[in-house]
């Protein structure tokens, strides 16, 4: 009986979580665009879009995000930056998306260098692209990795200027 009750509780909790997530996603899609337009109507010169799921929703939202008129868009590392850049207005800043947990927090200086250069090589062909972390840099990230990120950015532009 205990096994049955445990399974029932697990299924019930999973269903509740699934309904909550679906409701949250639906609300996010609905509120997101209206919030940004209202904020802009009140006189904001720009709106920073920072979604709570670190880019998980962005691929499904790219078309609606492009239409809200924000001055800049920041994408998490779950998003393919090349694809996002193709869908965003060319006269708006598009930022992202080196993996914060995988690289800044848990990577090595060489792996973050490689990841940073990889994103830049794919995306710096767009004049509106700015390299950045894919989200907040986690606590306890190594300073060496943060330095390696900025060193890679400098390295990319120094090589480009030659």
């Amino acid at each position: 009986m205990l096994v049955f009750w445990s399974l029932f509780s697990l299924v019930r909790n999973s269903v509740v979580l699934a309904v909550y997530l679906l409701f949250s996603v639906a609300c996010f899609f609905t509120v997101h665009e209206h919030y940004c337009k209202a904020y802009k109507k009140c006189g904001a010169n720009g709106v920073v879009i920072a979604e709570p799921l670190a880019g998980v929703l962005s691929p499904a939202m790219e078309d609606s995000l492009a239409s809200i008129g924000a001055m800049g868009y920041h994408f998490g590392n779950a998003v393919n930056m090349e694809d996002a850049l193709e869908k965003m207005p060319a006269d708006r800043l598009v930022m992202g998306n080196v993996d914060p947990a995988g690289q800044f927090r848990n990577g090595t200086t060489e792996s973050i260098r490689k990841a940073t250069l990889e994103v830049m090589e794919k995306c710096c062909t767009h004049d509106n692209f700015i390299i950045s972390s894919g989200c907040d840099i986690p606590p306890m990230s190594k300073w060496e990795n943060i330095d390696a990120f900025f060193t890679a950015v400098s390295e990319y532009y120094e090589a480009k200027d030659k």
Side-chain angles (χ1 to χ4, degrees), residues 34-114:
H34 297 290
Y35 166 78
C36 292
K37 286 181 179 177
Y39 195 68
K40 190 172 179 186
K41 187 177 178 181
C42 290
N45 288 330
V47 176
V48 174
I49 304 302
E51 67 183 72
L53 296 176
V56 175
L57 297 178
S58 294
M61 296 174 51
E62 287 168 355
D63 293 329
S64 69
L65 281 174
S67 71
I68 62 172
M71 296 303 294
Y73 301 87
H74 190 274
F75 291 97
N77 60 290
V79 172
N80 180 313
M81 277 308 299
E82 287 179 288
D83 293 345
L85 277 161
E86 293 300 323
K87 294 179 180 177
M88 294 298 110
D91 63 342
R92 303 293 190 237
L93 294 176
V94 179
M95 299 162 274
N97 76 347
V98 177
D99 183 353
Q103 294 302 329
F104 285 93
R105 172 68 176 96
N106 297 313
T108 64
T109 56
E110 187 52 37
S111 71
I112 196 168
R113 177 188 171 279
K114 181 180 175 195

Side-chain angles (χ1 to χ4, degrees), residues 23-40:
F23 178 74
S24 297
V25 169
C27 287
F28 184 78
F29 279 117
T30 304
V31 171
H32 186 70
E33 185 173 351
H34 297 290
Y35 166 78
C36 292
K37 286 181 179 177
Y39 195 68
K40 190 172 179 186

Side-chain angles (χ1 to χ4, degrees), residues 43 47 60 71 101 116 118 142:
V47 176
M71 296 303 294
T116 303
E118 209 170 84
K142 301 172 200 129

Side-chain angles (χ1 to χ4, degrees), residues 111-148:
S111 71
I112 196 168
R113 177 188 171 279
K114 181 180 175 195
T116 303
L117 292 173
E118 209 170 84
V119 173
M120 292 183 78
E121 287 165 5
K122 292 177 183 175
C123 300
C124 283
T125 56
H126 296 267
D127 292 336
N128 59 331
F129 175 72
I130 298 174
I131 186 74
S132 74
S133 62
C135 197
D136 296 342
I137 297 185
M140 305 305 293
S141 294
K142 301 172 200 129
W143 282 110
E144 296 83 20
N145 289 352
I146 295 169
D147 288 339

